[in-house]
Amino acid sequence: MTASRPRLYVDAQFTSPYAMSVFVALREKGIDFEMLPLDLDAEQNRSQDYARLSQTQRVPTLIHEGFALSESSAITEYLEELFPQVPVYPKAPRQRAKARQVQAWLRSDLLPIRQERSTLVVFYGQRGEPLSAQAQVAAAKLIDAAQALLEDGRQYLFDTWSIADVDLALMLNRLVLNGDPVPANLVDYAQRQWQRPAVQEWVQLQRPAL
């Protein structure tokens, strides 16, 4: 009996940075999967059927062999354990822990950036108003941390590419693609991560009109 393909639930506009992170991890690992968009504006994620699958009623949610899992970093760590042949996390324990730290930080902090530079900037080219004072503080914090993480001009956060590079590049691109001031080396870093084929596949998805 052939196992069914994993199913990945994402947002219908393909603007969720967290859905993108899981999509890239699946593509990098060469896992064949089915992608199912949900219209979050129509609250399809709150339907009874979806609520039975996703306890958080959010995207992304991965269904793999009858097992449902939500929250993007939990999903990518699960995929790493089950399909380690093509890693998306560093192998060294301390680097791996640091990658998880970067992911957790980007998901839990820097709220003013996420509010004032939504991913509509990144995927629809919709520019925002000048950053508020609070968002400028958050942007400075992001830039300082990125500079420290990428000291000595390295191409990636760690010895080789990891999924944390995609997450950091996405956060930087909220500023870069809006035209906000970002140091040239960080612009180069974000643009380099953006050219990765799996990332470009997500970027080039056909999106509905706003």
Side-chain angles (χ1 to χ4, degrees):
M1 184 174 180
T2 304
S4 59
R5 290 190 299 164
R7 305 197 309 274
L8 179 66
Y9 288 89
V10 303
D11 62 303
Q13 291 179 324
F14 309 119
T15 58
S16 166
Y18 314 119
M20 173 183 168
S21 187
V22 175
F23 176 94
V24 170
L26 285 161
R27 282 288 189 253
E28 290 283 345
K29 288 180 173 293
I31 300 169
D32 183 31
F33 66 98
E34 180 183 6
M35 188 163 63
L36 301 170
L38 292 178
D39 187 340
L40 303 187
D41 291 334
E43 297 192 341
Q44 288 183 344
N45 57 307
R46 300 196 185 282
S47 71
Q48 288 186 352
D49 287 345
Y50 189 67
R52 280 195 291 269
L53 290 175
S54 173
Q55 293 169 335
T56 63
Q57 299 181 33
R58 304 208 296 180
V59 295
T61 289
L62 179 76
I63 312 298
H64 176 243
E65 297 180 351
F67 174 68
L69 185 64
S70 301
E71 302 304 310
S72 57
S73 58
I75 296 171
T76 52
E77 289 178 25
Y78 171 77
L79 293 171
E80 187 79 341
E81 291 186 11
L82 262 63
F83 306 98
Q85 298 86 351
V86 180
V88 297
Y89 283 95
K91 291 185 178 180
R94 290 186 176 182
Q95 288 193 350
R96 191 183 184 100
K98 185 67 77 171
R100 288 169 168 166
Q101 173 189 297
V102 169
Q103 287 188 299
W105 173 58
L106 293 172
R107 286 157 173 72
S108 63
D109 198 0
L110 309 172
L111 179 61
I113 298 176
R114 288 185 275 125
Q115 289 177 326
E116 298 183 28
R117 295 293 181 265
S118 81
T119 50
L120 294 180
V121 171
V122 177
F123 299 114
Y124 278 90
Q126 187 179 98
R127 295 205 169 196
E129 298 295 323
L131 290 172
S132 67
Q134 193 175 25
Q136 288 179 38
V137 170
K141 182 179 181 180
L142 170 64
I143 289 168
D144 286 349
Q147 293 284 39
L149 288 163
L150 295 164
E151 62 184 355
D152 66 33
R154 67 186 66 180
Q155 286 197 333
Y156 306 116
L157 288 168
F158 308 107
D159 294 337
T160 59
W161 174 89
S162 76
I163 196 64
D165 285 299
V166 173
D167 294 340
L168 180 58
L170 185 284
M171 185 62 82
L172 288 168
N173 271 334
R174 293 175 185 265
L175 302 174
V176 172
L177 297 176
N178 193 75
D180 297 308
V182 175
N185 66 309
L186 297 184
V187 173
D188 290 344
Y189 165 80
Q191 290 176 342
R192 188 164 53 250
Q193 310 315 316
W194 225 236
Q195 294 311 307
R196 201 167 182 89
V199 174
Q200 273 299 300
E201 187 176 347
W202 177 270
V203 171
Q204 298 300 326
L205 287 171
Q206 192 68 37
R207 292 176 170 79
L210 291 176

